[in-house]
Amino acid sequence: MKSILHIITSPRTDVSASRKLGNTVIEKIQEKYPDSIVKERDLTKNLVPLLEEKHINTFFSPAENHSTEQQSINAYSENLISELQEADIIVIDSPMYNFSVPATLRAYFDFTSRAGYTFKYDENGPKGLLNDKKLYIAFTSGNIYSEGPYQIYDSNVPYVKNVFGFYGVTDVSVFRAEGLSIPGIMENALEKGIESIVID
Ligand SMILES: Cc1cc2nc3c(=O)[nH]c(=O)nc-3n(C[C@H](O)[C@H](O)[C@H](O)COP(=O)(O)O)c2cc1C
Protein backbone atom coordinates (compact mmCIF):
# COMPACT_ATOMS: atom_id res chain seq x y z
CA MET A 1 0.00 0.00 0.00
CA LYS A 2 1.29 3.43 -0.94
CA SER A 3 0.46 6.76 0.56
CA ILE A 4 0.17 9.37 -2.19
CA LEU A 5 0.13 13.13 -1.73
CA HIS A 6 -1.31 15.09 -4.67
CA ILE A 7 -0.31 18.76 -4.60
CA ILE A 8 -2.65 20.78 -6.81
CA THR A 9 -1.57 24.26 -7.84
CA SER A 10 -3.57 25.52 -10.83
CA PRO A 11 -6.20 28.12 -9.97
CA ARG A 12 -8.18 26.67 -12.86
CA THR A 13 -10.44 23.70 -12.24
CA ASP A 14 -12.32 21.93 -15.06
CA VAL A 15 -10.14 23.27 -17.89
CA SER A 16 -6.86 22.87 -16.02
CA ALA A 17 -4.34 20.88 -18.05
CA SER A 18 -2.01 20.31 -15.10
CA ARG A 19 -4.86 18.87 -13.00
CA LYS A 20 -5.72 16.50 -15.86
CA LEU A 21 -2.09 15.44 -16.25
CA GLY A 22 -1.60 15.10 -12.47
CA ASN A 23 -4.89 13.21 -12.07
CA THR A 24 -3.81 10.76 -14.76
CA VAL A 25 -0.50 10.22 -12.96
CA ILE A 26 -2.51 9.44 -9.81
CA GLU A 27 -4.78 7.03 -11.71
CA LYS A 28 -1.79 5.18 -13.13
CA ILE A 29 -0.13 4.94 -9.72
CA GLN A 30 -3.40 3.52 -8.38
CA GLU A 31 -3.46 0.96 -11.19
CA LYS A 32 0.00 -0.17 -10.08
CA TYR A 33 -0.74 0.06 -6.35
CA PRO A 34 -4.52 -0.57 -6.06
CA ASP A 35 -4.62 -0.16 -2.28
CA SER A 36 -2.99 3.23 -2.23
CA ILE A 37 -4.46 6.11 -0.32
CA VAL A 38 -4.54 9.55 -1.97
CA LYS A 39 -4.48 12.76 0.01
CA GLU A 40 -5.03 16.04 -1.83
CA ARG A 41 -3.39 19.31 -0.87
CA ASP A 42 -5.17 21.79 -3.10
CA LEU A 43 -3.12 24.96 -2.75
CA THR A 44 -5.82 27.00 -4.45
CA LYS A 45 -8.15 26.43 -1.48
CA ASN A 46 -7.36 27.90 1.95
CA LEU A 47 -4.37 29.72 0.50
CA VAL A 48 -1.01 29.41 2.20
CA PRO A 49 -0.22 32.96 3.36
CA LEU A 50 2.62 35.01 1.93
CA LEU A 51 5.61 34.90 4.24
CA GLU A 52 5.61 37.67 6.85
CA GLU A 53 8.00 38.58 9.66
CA LYS A 54 5.80 36.83 12.23
CA HIS A 55 6.14 33.58 10.29
CA ILE A 56 9.91 33.84 10.01
CA ASN A 57 10.22 34.69 13.70
CA THR A 58 8.17 31.60 14.50
CA PHE A 59 10.19 29.29 12.28
CA PHE A 60 13.47 30.52 13.76
CA SER A 61 12.58 30.43 17.46
CA PRO A 62 12.27 27.53 19.91
CA ALA A 63 8.76 26.11 20.22
CA GLU A 64 8.80 26.45 24.03
CA ASN A 65 9.02 30.25 23.64
CA HIS A 66 6.12 30.56 21.21
CA SER A 67 3.19 32.88 21.80
CA THR A 68 -0.31 31.57 21.14
CA GLU A 69 -0.22 33.09 17.64
CA GLN A 70 3.18 31.52 16.96
CA GLN A 71 1.92 28.14 18.19
CA SER A 72 -0.81 28.25 15.61
CA ILE A 73 1.60 29.35 12.82
CA ASN A 74 3.94 26.52 13.78
CA ALA A 75 1.13 23.95 13.88
CA TYR A 76 -0.07 25.06 10.44
CA SER A 77 3.42 24.66 8.95
CA GLU A 78 3.99 21.34 10.75
CA ASN A 79 0.72 20.03 9.34
CA LEU A 80 1.80 20.82 5.76
CA ILE A 81 5.17 19.19 6.41
CA SER A 82 3.61 16.09 8.02
CA GLU A 83 1.71 15.44 4.77
CA LEU A 84 5.04 15.35 2.96
CA GLN A 85 6.64 13.18 5.64
CA GLU A 86 3.79 10.65 5.52
CA ALA A 87 3.74 10.29 1.72
CA ASP A 88 5.55 7.50 -0.11
CA ILE A 89 4.76 9.17 -3.43
CA ILE A 90 4.27 12.87 -4.14
CA VAL A 91 2.56 14.06 -7.31
CA ILE A 92 2.78 17.77 -7.97
CA ASP A 93 0.87 19.63 -10.69
CA SER A 94 3.23 22.32 -11.85
CA PRO A 95 1.90 24.62 -14.58
CA MET A 96 4.05 27.44 -15.92
CA TYR A 97 2.61 30.76 -14.79
CA ASN A 98 4.54 33.81 -15.92
CA PHE A 99 7.84 31.96 -16.13
CA SER A 100 7.52 30.42 -12.71
CA VAL A 101 5.38 28.16 -10.58
CA PRO A 102 1.99 29.47 -9.39
CA ALA A 103 2.46 31.83 -6.44
CA THR A 104 0.52 29.43 -4.22
CA LEU A 105 3.25 26.83 -4.67
CA ARG A 106 5.97 29.37 -3.89
CA ALA A 107 4.13 30.22 -0.67
CA TYR A 108 3.82 26.50 0.14
CA PHE A 109 7.58 26.09 -0.14
CA ASP A 110 8.04 29.00 2.31
CA PHE A 111 6.04 27.05 4.88
CA THR A 112 7.61 23.64 4.21
CA SER A 113 11.30 24.59 3.83
CA ARG A 114 12.24 24.32 7.49
CA ALA A 115 15.48 23.29 9.13
CA GLY A 116 14.98 20.24 11.33
CA TYR A 117 11.90 19.16 9.37
CA THR A 118 12.63 18.94 5.64
CA PHE A 119 16.38 19.59 5.74
CA LYS A 120 19.21 20.19 8.14
CA TYR A 121 22.74 21.50 7.97
CA ASP A 122 25.74 19.57 9.26
CA GLU A 123 29.49 19.87 8.71
CA ASN A 124 29.02 18.53 5.18
CA GLY A 125 26.46 21.20 4.28
CA PRO A 126 22.71 20.77 3.74
CA LYS A 127 21.07 17.36 4.04
CA GLY A 128 17.52 16.52 3.02
CA LEU A 129 15.35 14.85 5.63
CA LEU A 130 12.56 13.52 3.38
CA ASN A 131 14.11 10.31 2.14
CA ASP A 132 12.91 7.24 0.23
CA LYS A 133 10.12 9.05 -1.57
CA LYS A 134 9.18 9.24 -5.22
CA LEU A 135 8.22 12.54 -6.84
CA TYR A 136 6.24 12.88 -10.06
CA ILE A 137 6.05 16.36 -11.60
CA ALA A 138 3.12 17.04 -13.96
CA PHE A 139 4.30 20.10 -15.89
CA THR A 140 2.18 22.02 -18.37
CA SER A 141 2.98 25.12 -20.39
CA GLY A 142 1.81 27.21 -23.33
CA ASN A 143 5.27 27.24 -24.87
CA ILE A 144 7.91 24.49 -25.20
CA TYR A 145 10.82 24.49 -22.74
CA SER A 146 12.23 20.96 -22.82
CA GLU A 147 14.00 21.68 -26.14
CA GLY A 148 14.41 24.41 -28.71
CA PRO A 149 15.01 28.17 -28.43
CA TYR A 150 13.09 28.61 -25.15
CA GLN A 151 14.93 25.86 -23.27
CA ILE A 152 16.84 28.62 -21.48
CA TYR A 153 13.49 29.64 -19.89
CA ASP A 154 12.97 26.17 -18.44
CA SER A 155 12.80 27.46 -14.87
CA ASN A 156 9.75 25.71 -13.45
CA VAL A 157 10.76 22.04 -13.54
CA PRO A 158 14.38 22.63 -12.38
CA TYR A 159 13.08 24.80 -9.53
CA VAL A 160 10.60 22.21 -8.26
CA LYS A 161 13.26 19.50 -8.62
CA ASN A 162 15.77 21.62 -6.70
CA VAL A 163 13.44 22.33 -3.80
CA PHE A 164 12.47 18.68 -3.44
CA GLY A 165 16.09 17.62 -3.97
CA PHE A 166 17.03 19.89 -1.08
CA TYR A 167 14.34 18.12 0.97
CA GLY A 168 16.00 14.79 0.10
CA VAL A 169 13.55 13.69 -2.60
CA THR A 170 15.84 12.83 -5.47
CA ASP A 171 13.91 10.08 -7.25
CA VAL A 172 11.95 12.24 -9.71
CA SER A 173 10.02 11.65 -12.94
CA VAL A 174 8.77 14.55 -15.01
CA PHE A 175 5.87 14.43 -17.46
CA ARG A 176 5.37 17.43 -19.71
CA ALA A 177 2.39 18.64 -21.69
CA GLU A 178 4.02 21.52 -23.54
CA GLY A 179 3.00 23.78 -26.39
CA LEU A 180 -0.56 24.15 -25.13
CA SER A 181 -0.74 27.61 -26.74
CA ILE A 182 0.93 26.74 -30.06
CA PRO A 183 -1.50 26.02 -32.92
CA GLY A 184 -0.60 22.74 -34.58
CA ILE A 185 0.89 21.40 -31.32
CA MET A 186 -1.73 22.40 -28.76
CA GLU A 187 -4.35 20.06 -30.20
CA ASN A 188 -2.44 16.95 -29.08
CA ALA A 189 -0.10 18.35 -26.41
CA LEU A 190 -2.04 17.15 -23.39
CA GLU A 191 -2.68 13.75 -24.94
CA LYS A 192 1.03 13.38 -25.70
CA GLY A 193 1.90 14.34 -22.12
CA ILE A 194 -0.59 11.80 -20.79
CA GLU A 195 0.76 9.09 -23.10
CA SER A 196 4.29 9.73 -21.80
CA ILE A 197 3.34 8.77 -18.24
CA VAL A 198 5.26 5.76 -16.95
CA ILE A 199 5.04 4.72 -13.32
CA ASP A 200 8.27 3.12 -12.14
C1 LIG B 1 -1.91 33.58 -16.01
C2 LIG B 1 -1.21 32.67 -16.96
C3 LIG B 1 0.15 32.79 -17.14
C4 LIG B 1 0.82 31.94 -18.03
N1 LIG B 1 2.17 32.07 -18.19
C5 LIG B 1 2.81 31.25 -19.06
C6 LIG B 1 4.23 31.35 -19.26
O1 LIG B 1 4.92 32.16 -18.68
N2 LIG B 1 4.80 30.48 -20.13
C7 LIG B 1 4.09 29.52 -20.79
O2 LIG B 1 4.66 28.76 -21.55
N3 LIG B 1 2.76 29.39 -20.59
C8 LIG B 1 2.12 30.22 -19.75
N4 LIG B 1 0.78 30.07 -19.55
C9 LIG B 1 0.09 28.94 -20.16
C10 LIG B 1 -0.04 27.84 -19.13
O3 LIG B 1 1.21 27.36 -18.71
C11 LIG B 1 -0.84 26.68 -19.68
O4 LIG B 1 -2.10 27.16 -20.08
C12 LIG B 1 -1.00 25.58 -18.65
O5 LIG B 1 -1.86 24.64 -19.16
C13 LIG B 1 -1.56 26.13 -17.36
O6 LIG B 1 -1.92 25.07 -16.50
P1 LIG B 1 -3.42 24.86 -16.06
O7 LIG B 1 -4.21 24.63 -17.33
O8 LIG B 1 -3.38 23.69 -15.19
O9 LIG B 1 -3.86 26.12 -15.35
C14 LIG B 1 0.11 30.93 -18.70
C15 LIG B 1 -1.28 30.80 -18.48
C16 LIG B 1 -1.92 31.66 -17.62
C17 LIG B 1 -3.41 31.49 -17.41
Short mmCIF file of all heavy atoms in Angstrom, two decimals, residues 147-184:
data_model
loop_
_atom_site.label_atom_id
_atom_site.label_comp_id
_atom_site.label_asym_id
_atom_site.label_seq_id
_atom_site.Cartn_x
_atom_site.Cartn_y
_atom_site.Cartn_z
N GLU A 147 13.05 21.64 -25.01
CA GLU A 147 14.00 21.68 -26.14
C GLU A 147 13.72 22.96 -26.93
O GLU A 147 12.72 23.64 -26.69
CB GLU A 147 13.80 20.45 -27.04
CG GLU A 147 12.39 20.37 -27.59
CD GLU A 147 12.16 19.14 -28.46
OE1 GLU A 147 12.98 18.21 -28.42
OE2 GLU A 147 11.15 19.13 -29.17
N GLY A 148 14.64 23.28 -27.81
CA GLY A 148 14.41 24.41 -28.71
C GLY A 148 14.84 25.74 -28.11
O GLY A 148 15.49 25.80 -27.07
N PRO A 149 14.48 26.86 -28.79
CA PRO A 149 15.01 28.17 -28.43
C PRO A 149 14.62 28.66 -27.03
O PRO A 149 15.28 29.54 -26.48
CB PRO A 149 14.44 29.10 -29.50
CG PRO A 149 13.30 28.35 -30.12
CD PRO A 149 13.61 26.90 -29.97
N TYR A 150 13.53 28.13 -26.47
CA TYR A 150 13.09 28.61 -25.15
C TYR A 150 13.54 27.71 -24.00
O TYR A 150 13.11 27.88 -22.87
CB TYR A 150 11.56 28.81 -25.14
CG TYR A 150 11.16 29.98 -25.99
CD1 TYR A 150 10.84 29.81 -27.33
CD2 TYR A 150 11.15 31.28 -25.47
CE1 TYR A 150 10.53 30.89 -28.14
CE2 TYR A 150 10.83 32.36 -26.25
CZ TYR A 150 10.52 32.16 -27.59
OH TYR A 150 10.22 33.24 -28.38
N GLN A 151 14.44 26.78 -24.33
CA GLN A 151 14.93 25.86 -23.27
C GLN A 151 15.57 26.65 -22.13
O GLN A 151 15.50 26.25 -20.96
CB GLN A 151 15.93 24.87 -23.86
CG GLN A 151 16.07 23.62 -23.02
CD GLN A 151 16.92 22.56 -23.71
OE1 GLN A 151 17.65 22.85 -24.66
NE2 GLN A 151 16.81 21.34 -23.26
N ILE A 152 16.18 27.78 -22.48
CA ILE A 152 16.84 28.62 -21.48
C ILE A 152 15.83 29.16 -20.45
O ILE A 152 16.20 29.55 -19.35
CB ILE A 152 17.60 29.77 -22.18
CG1 ILE A 152 18.55 30.45 -21.22
CG2 ILE A 152 16.68 30.74 -22.84
CD1 ILE A 152 19.51 31.41 -21.89
N TYR A 153 14.55 29.17 -20.81
CA TYR A 153 13.49 29.64 -19.89
C TYR A 153 12.93 28.49 -19.05
O TYR A 153 11.94 28.66 -18.36
CB TYR A 153 12.32 30.24 -20.67
CG TYR A 153 12.61 31.55 -21.37
CD1 TYR A 153 13.26 31.59 -22.59
CD2 TYR A 153 12.20 32.76 -20.81
CE1 TYR A 153 13.51 32.79 -23.24
CE2 TYR A 153 12.44 33.97 -21.44
CZ TYR A 153 13.10 33.98 -22.65
OH TYR A 153 13.34 35.16 -23.29
N ASP A 154 13.54 27.34 -19.13
CA ASP A 154 12.97 26.17 -18.44
C ASP A 154 13.25 26.27 -16.93
O ASP A 154 14.10 25.57 -16.39
CB ASP A 154 13.58 24.88 -19.02
CG ASP A 154 12.85 23.64 -18.54
OD1 ASP A 154 11.63 23.73 -18.30
OD2 ASP A 154 13.51 22.59 -18.40
N SER A 155 12.52 27.15 -16.28
CA SER A 155 12.80 27.46 -14.87
C SER A 155 11.92 26.67 -13.91
O SER A 155 12.32 26.38 -12.78
CB SER A 155 12.57 28.96 -14.62
OG SER A 155 11.28 29.31 -15.08
N ASN A 156 10.74 26.30 -14.34
CA ASN A 156 9.75 25.71 -13.45
C ASN A 156 10.16 24.32 -12.95
O ASN A 156 10.30 24.09 -11.74
CB ASN A 156 8.41 25.69 -14.21
CG ASN A 156 7.25 25.13 -13.43
OD1 ASN A 156 7.39 24.09 -12.80
ND2 ASN A 156 6.10 25.76 -13.49
N VAL A 157 10.42 23.42 -13.91
CA VAL A 157 10.76 22.04 -13.54
C VAL A 157 12.07 21.99 -12.74
O VAL A 157 12.11 21.36 -11.67
CB VAL A 157 10.80 21.13 -14.78
CG1 VAL A 157 11.42 19.78 -14.44
CG2 VAL A 157 9.39 20.94 -15.35
N PRO A 158 13.15 22.66 -13.19
CA PRO A 158 14.38 22.63 -12.38
C PRO A 158 14.17 23.19 -10.97
O PRO A 158 14.73 22.67 -10.00
CB PRO A 158 15.36 23.50 -13.17
CG PRO A 158 14.86 23.46 -14.57
CD PRO A 158 13.37 23.34 -14.47
N TYR A 159 13.34 24.21 -10.85
CA TYR A 159 13.08 24.80 -9.53
C TYR A 159 12.39 23.80 -8.59
O TYR A 159 12.83 23.58 -7.45
CB TYR A 159 12.23 26.07 -9.70
CG TYR A 159 11.72 26.65 -8.40
CD1 TYR A 159 12.61 27.15 -7.44
CD2 TYR A 159 10.36 26.70 -8.13
CE1 TYR A 159 12.14 27.68 -6.25
CE2 TYR A 159 9.88 27.22 -6.95
CZ TYR A 159 10.77 27.71 -6.00
OH TYR A 159 10.31 28.23 -4.82
N VAL A 160 11.33 23.19 -9.10
CA VAL A 160 10.60 22.21 -8.26
C VAL A 160 11.52 21.04 -7.90
O VAL A 160 11.56 20.59 -6.74
CB VAL A 160 9.32 21.73 -8.98
CG1 VAL A 160 8.63 20.62 -8.18
CG2 VAL A 160 8.36 22.89 -9.20
N LYS A 161 12.30 20.59 -8.89
CA LYS A 161 13.26 19.50 -8.62
C LYS A 161 14.27 19.93 -7.55
O LYS A 161 14.63 19.14 -6.67
CB LYS A 161 14.03 19.16 -9.89
CG LYS A 161 13.42 18.11 -10.76
CD LYS A 161 14.40 17.85 -11.88
CE LYS A 161 14.09 16.63 -12.65
NZ LYS A 161 15.01 16.42 -13.76
N ASN A 162 14.76 21.15 -7.66
CA ASN A 162 15.77 21.62 -6.70
C ASN A 162 15.22 21.69 -5.28
O ASN A 162 15.88 21.29 -4.33
CB ASN A 162 16.30 23.00 -7.10
CG ASN A 162 17.27 22.92 -8.27
OD1 ASN A 162 17.78 21.84 -8.58
ND2 ASN A 162 17.50 24.04 -8.92
N VAL A 163 14.02 22.22 -5.14
CA VAL A 163 13.44 22.33 -3.80
C VAL A 163 13.27 20.93 -3.20
O VAL A 163 13.71 20.67 -2.07
CB VAL A 163 12.08 23.08 -3.82
CG1 VAL A 163 11.44 23.04 -2.44
CG2 VAL A 163 12.25 24.52 -4.27
N PHE A 164 12.67 20.03 -3.97
CA PHE A 164 12.47 18.68 -3.44
C PHE A 164 13.80 17.95 -3.25
O PHE A 164 13.94 17.16 -2.31
CB PHE A 164 11.50 17.88 -4.31
CG PHE A 164 10.06 18.15 -3.98
CD1 PHE A 164 9.32 19.07 -4.69
CD2 PHE A 164 9.45 17.51 -2.90
CE1 PHE A 164 8.00 19.35 -4.35
CE2 PHE A 164 8.13 17.78 -2.55
CZ PHE A 164 7.41 18.70 -3.29
N GLY A 165 14.76 18.21 -4.14
CA GLY A 165 16.09 17.62 -3.97
C GLY A 165 16.72 18.07 -2.67
O GLY A 165 17.35 17.28 -1.95
N PHE A 166 16.53 19.35 -2.34
CA PHE A 166 17.03 19.89 -1.08
C PHE A 166 16.35 19.21 0.11
O PHE A 166 16.95 19.02 1.17
CB PHE A 166 16.77 21.40 -1.06
CG PHE A 166 17.51 22.15 0.00
CD1 PHE A 166 18.86 22.43 -0.14
CD2 PHE A 166 16.85 22.60 1.14
CE1 PHE A 166 19.55 23.13 0.85
CE2 PHE A 166 17.54 23.30 2.13
CZ PHE A 166 18.89 23.56 1.99
N TYR A 167 15.08 18.83 -0.08
CA TYR A 167 14.34 18.12 0.97
C TYR A 167 14.77 16.64 1.06
O TYR A 167 14.31 15.92 1.94
CB TYR A 167 12.84 18.13 0.69
CG TYR A 167 12.12 19.46 0.79
CD1 TYR A 167 10.77 19.54 0.46
CD2 TYR A 167 12.74 20.62 1.21
CE1 TYR A 167 10.07 20.74 0.54
CE2 TYR A 167 12.05 21.82 1.29
CZ TYR A 167 10.72 21.87 0.95
OH TYR A 167 10.02 23.05 1.02
N GLY A 168 15.56 16.18 0.08
CA GLY A 168 16.00 14.79 0.10
C GLY A 168 15.25 13.90 -0.87
O GLY A 168 15.49 12.69 -0.93
N VAL A 169 14.33 14.48 -1.64
CA VAL A 169 13.55 13.69 -2.60
C VAL A 169 14.25 13.79 -3.95
O VAL A 169 14.12 14.79 -4.67
CB VAL A 169 12.10 14.20 -2.71
CG1 VAL A 169 11.29 13.31 -3.65
CG2 VAL A 169 11.44 14.26 -1.33
N THR A 170 15.00 12.76 -4.28
CA THR A 170 15.84 12.83 -5.47
C THR A 170 15.38 11.87 -6.58
O THR A 170 15.89 11.91 -7.68
CB THR A 170 17.31 12.52 -5.11
OG1 THR A 170 17.33 11.29 -4.37
CG2 THR A 170 17.91 13.63 -4.27
N ASP A 171 14.44 11.00 -6.25
CA ASP A 171 13.91 10.08 -7.25
C ASP A 171 12.71 10.77 -7.92
O ASP A 171 11.61 10.82 -7.35
CB ASP A 171 13.48 8.77 -6.55
CG ASP A 171 13.02 7.72 -7.55
OD1 ASP A 171 13.01 8.01 -8.77
OD2 ASP A 171 12.66 6.62 -7.11
N VAL A 172 12.95 11.35 -9.10
CA VAL A 172 11.95 12.24 -9.71
C VAL A 172 11.68 11.82 -11.15
O VAL A 172 12.60 11.52 -11.91
CB VAL A 172 12.48 13.70 -9.73
CG1 VAL A 172 11.39 14.65 -10.25
CG2 VAL A 172 12.96 14.15 -8.36
N SER A 173 10.40 11.79 -11.52
CA SER A 173 10.02 11.65 -12.94
C SER A 173 9.21 12.87 -13.34
O SER A 173 8.38 13.34 -12.56
CB SER A 173 9.17 10.40 -13.16
OG SER A 173 9.90 9.23 -12.85
N VAL A 174 9.46 13.35 -14.53
CA VAL A 174 8.77 14.55 -15.01
C VAL A 174 7.97 14.19 -16.26
O VAL A 174 8.50 13.56 -17.18
CB VAL A 174 9.80 15.66 -15.38
CG1 VAL A 174 9.08 16.90 -15.88
CG2 VAL A 174 10.69 15.99 -14.18
N PHE A 175 6.70 14.59 -16.27
CA PHE A 175 5.87 14.43 -17.46
C PHE A 175 5.44 15.82 -17.91
O PHE A 175 4.98 16.61 -17.09
CB PHE A 175 4.65 13.55 -17.16
CG PHE A 175 5.02 12.24 -16.51
CD1 PHE A 175 4.58 11.93 -15.25
CD2 PHE A 175 5.87 11.36 -17.17
CE1 PHE A 175 4.96 10.74 -14.63
CE2 PHE A 175 6.24 10.17 -16.56
CZ PHE A 175 5.79 9.86 -15.29
N ARG A 176 5.62 16.08 -19.20
CA ARG A 176 5.37 17.43 -19.71
C ARG A 176 4.27 17.42 -20.76
O ARG A 176 4.33 16.62 -21.70
CB ARG A 176 6.63 18.00 -20.34
CG ARG A 176 7.78 18.24 -19.39
CD ARG A 176 8.99 18.70 -20.18
NE ARG A 176 10.16 18.93 -19.35
CZ ARG A 176 10.69 20.13 -19.09
NH1 ARG A 176 10.15 21.21 -19.61
NH2 ARG A 176 11.77 20.25 -18.34
N ALA A 177 3.32 18.32 -20.60
CA ALA A 177 2.39 18.64 -21.69
C ALA A 177 2.73 20.07 -22.08
O ALA A 177 2.33 21.02 -21.40
CB ALA A 177 0.95 18.52 -21.23
N GLU A 178 3.50 20.21 -23.14
CA GLU A 178 4.02 21.52 -23.54
C GLU A 178 3.43 21.94 -24.87
O GLU A 178 2.99 21.11 -25.66
CB GLU A 178 5.54 21.44 -23.71
CG GLU A 178 6.31 21.07 -22.48
CD GLU A 178 7.81 21.08 -22.76
OE1 GLU A 178 8.27 20.31 -23.62
OE2 GLU A 178 8.51 21.88 -22.13
N GLY A 179 3.50 23.25 -25.11
CA GLY A 179 3.00 23.78 -26.39
C GLY A 179 1.49 23.92 -26.41
O GLY A 179 0.89 23.91 -27.48
N LEU A 180 0.91 24.08 -25.23
CA LEU A 180 -0.56 24.15 -25.13
C LEU A 180 -1.14 25.43 -25.72
O LEU A 180 -2.36 25.58 -25.81
CB LEU A 180 -0.97 24.00 -23.66
CG LEU A 180 -0.81 22.58 -23.09
CD1 LEU A 180 -0.76 22.59 -21.57
CD2 LEU A 180 -1.94 21.68 -23.57
N SER A 181 -0.27 26.38 -26.09
CA SER A 181 -0.74 27.61 -26.74
C SER A 181 -0.29 27.70 -28.19
O SER A 181 -0.52 28.72 -28.85
CB SER A 181 -0.20 28.85 -25.99
OG SER A 181 -0.60 28.84 -24.65
N ILE A 182 0.36 26.67 -28.70
CA ILE A 182 0.93 26.74 -30.06
C ILE A 182 0.03 25.98 -31.04
O ILE A 182 -0.05 24.74 -30.97
CB ILE A 182 2.36 26.15 -30.08
CG1 ILE A 182 3.25 26.89 -29.07
CG2 ILE A 182 2.94 26.23 -31.48
CD1 ILE A 182 4.66 26.30 -28.94
N PRO A 183 -0.63 26.71 -31.95
CA PRO A 183 -1.50 26.02 -32.92
C PRO A 183 -0.70 24.98 -33.69
O PRO A 183 0.45 25.21 -34.06
CB PRO A 183 -1.96 27.16 -33.84
CG PRO A 183 -1.80 28.41 -33.04
CD PRO A 183 -0.63 28.18 -32.13
N GLY A 184 -1.29 23.83 -33.88
CA GLY A 184 -0.60 22.74 -34.58
C GLY A 184 0.03 21.76 -33.59
O GLY A 184 0.26 20.62 -33.91
#
